[in-house]
Amino acid sequence: MNLQKAPSLRELNRQYSPDRNPLIEDNAVITKKRYVRAGRSRDLVDPMTGEVSAVATIHTIEERDDAEFVKVFAAGVQAMYGLTKTGMRVFQAILDEYQNTSMAGGFADSVYLHWFGNGLNGRVLDMGERTFHTGFKELLLNRFLAPRSANLYWVNSALFFKGDRVKFITEYRKKGSGLKAAREPQSQISNP
């Protein structure tokens, strides 16, 4: 994604959605070489038509300790979304903040983020404010987060969670067999 042609961080940060998390709905991001769709396994069935995609799947399960799990998860997200090193560092810092956020109703749907001093929420990071804002903008553009109010952000529940398992699914298609159709925007259903 070309960050220079994108809206400024200031513009992205003012698109508040105080009453509804816009990241709960299915969403898609087109990266340099991939179409990335964040959601749950039910996405393999089109909820509008009931059509089931015929997909061959290979499923592998590996156990990892807590530290390794977070690293594997973050590396998988970085690879799937094509995050830059800066975007990845900021994602990891925000993921750490999210892990410390108290849950309500079994999950945390938003996270408080405020840069002050030399860090995030008072925790010193080994990056400057400008570097943080560059990576933060990348996360907003890729729909990892959405502004809820000043310094409070909705989280994409497929990317921020407190669970103990994760699946990364890569679907390979022959050229000319449908990646273009997958990139076409889905029809949006408006909520009153």
Side-chain angles (χ1 to χ4, degrees), residues 9 12 14 21 30 45 71 84 99 108 127 145 147 150 166 187 192:
L9 177 58
L12 289 170
R14 290 189 180 151
N21 184 346
I30 297 173
V45 176
K71 287 179 185 176
T84 64
Q99 293 298 321
M127 70 179 83
L145 303 161
V166 64
S187 62

Side-chain angles (χ1 to χ4, degrees), residues 20-27 38 42 143 188-189 191:
R20 184 178 63 84
N21 184 346
L23 304 176
I24 291 292
E25 300 164 359
D26 292 343
N27 64 78
R42 67 174 173 78
R143 300 185 49 81
Q188 299 293 324
I189 300 172
N191 291 335

Side-chain angles (χ1 to χ4, degrees), residues 20 38 56 58 63-64 84 95 103 126 144 152 161 164 170:
R20 184 178 63 84
I58 299 170
E63 287 187 351
R64 303 289 175 115
T84 64
L95 187 58
M103 296 191 307
D126 64 344
F144 282 47
L152 186 63
F161 70 100
D164 62 354
T170 302

